[in-house]
Amino acid sequence: VATLVDFGCSQLEGSSIVLLRGSLRYYPYKAVIDKSYYNNECDLHMCSFVIYEMIEEHEIYPKHGGDTETIIGFRKDGVHPEWSRKSVGFNDDVLKINEIWTTAATS
């Protein structure tokens, strides 16, 4: 199964269109508060949440119904989504993704 992902922050090369921001629920907190922080690590961070959603088969912080402000607040406080599914290679995948989340919070 392939999943198309659009964070709403891409731009055609040479375009004069000024983009605002895409889906803030996936951004690392530093990029939420300062859009000049956006870099390649932000792409990795946002993709890690999509990987989480694919493994877990639900959205990040499912109890909060996709409320962006709540999700950003969790990110600010260093509260990451909880993992519940177990599969082959699960622990290795989780460790890699948790490292991405922790690095984005501190860099």
Side-chain angles (χ1 to χ4, degrees):
V1 174
T3 301
L4 180 62
V5 178
D6 179 8
F7 296 112
C9 51
S10 61
Q11 181 174 350
L12 290 174
E13 187 175 341
S15 173
S16 62
I17 296 173
V18 176
L19 294 174
L20 298 175
R21 296 196 220 185
S23 184
L24 294 179
R25 59 190 267 129
Y26 295 105
Y27 273 52
Y29 184 69
K30 286 188 176 185
V32 171
I33 59 172
D34 180 3
K35 65 182 176 182
S36 68
Y37 174 78
Y38 191 88
N39 56 29
N40 291 337
E41 285 75 29
C42 291
D43 288 340
L44 184 60
H45 186 266
M46 291 191 294
C47 286
S48 73
F49 282 111
V50 173
I51 292 167
Y52 168 88
E53 290 178 339
M54 291 170 59
I55 291 172
E56 286 290 311
E57 298 179 357
H58 60 74
E59 66 184 352
I60 55 176
Y61 311 102
K63 295 177 185 174
H64 302 282
D67 180 63
T68 299
E69 286 186 37
T70 300
I71 291 170
I72 291 171
F74 285 144
R75 194 99 18 83
K76 176 184 177 188
D77 296 336
V79 178
H80 305 300
E82 295 179 9
W83 294 92
S84 63
R85 298 181 61 84
K86 306 290 186 235
S87 63
V88 175
F90 175 83
N91 289 332
D92 292 338
D93 295 337
V94 168
L95 289 174
K96 288 175 188 172
I97 291 172
N98 286 347
E99 182 179 339
I100 291 167
W101 293 345
T102 304
T103 301
T106 59
S107 61

